[in-house]
Amino acid sequence: MGFLESSERVMERWTTNLWGFLLPAKHEQGEAVAMLLRQCDDNALIVGRQRVVAPNAFIIELLPEIHQQLSASAWPVAPVLANQVRRHAAERRYTFAGPVAVDLRPAPNDTTRRFRIHSRITPAEVQPLPMGSRTTR
């Protein structure tokens, strides 16, 4: 039983440290979350008098070993990060052109950064109308 307990403590510490890198305590933003929200602010577009559209598609390139650890984790990270973006956008009164998506990918091997974030505004996919349906104006 001692081996299982110590293994469980090691895994808990490892997971806590990894989550702390991405999402630390409530009052303190993690480096990755801060950069994600900065991408949202820096790339927001004013499209009308009261409408600001923020990026809704984010790609986070992580070092391969960090990406592998997060992929093996039982807790999904991408939905938590997407919720952080949605909450930030609501506070700033941003709108999105489509659903918010965060994709975690391994970075190319030539990078020395722990992570890199790319963002873009991606419109929602428009579903085609069924055959024989009409639109009215």
Side-chain angles (χ1 to χ4, degrees), residues 20-53:
F21 167 70
L22 290 172
L23 302 168
K26 290 181 182 179
H27 300 293
E28 177 186 326
Q29 289 182 348
E31 186 179 348
V33 173
M35 282 186 66
L36 192 65
L37 301 182
R38 194 172 321 122
Q39 280 279 329
C40 194
D41 291 336
D42 291 348
N43 296 309
L45 297 174
I46 299 171
V47 295
R49 182 174 271 177
Q50 302 244 332
R51 186 163 183 221
V52 178
V53 178

Side-chain angles (χ1 to χ4, degrees), residues 67-123:
H67 180 265
Q68 185 177 14
Q69 290 171 353
L70 288 174
S71 297
S73 174
W75 296 308
V77 175
V80 174
L81 295 173
N83 282 336
Q84 291 278 346
V85 170
R86 281 188 211 94
R87 190 173 304 130
H88 178 73
E91 289 171 0
R92 304 276 176 134
R93 297 183 187 204
Y94 295 156
T95 59
F96 297 111
V100 176
V102 176
D103 186 21
L104 303 175
R105 295 183 183 171
N109 292 332
D110 61 342
T111 185
T112 56
R113 297 181 194 176
R114 288 187 297 168
F115 61 91
R116 184 177 9 202
I117 299 176
H118 306 279
S119 65
R120 67 179 185 271
I121 296 173
T122 304

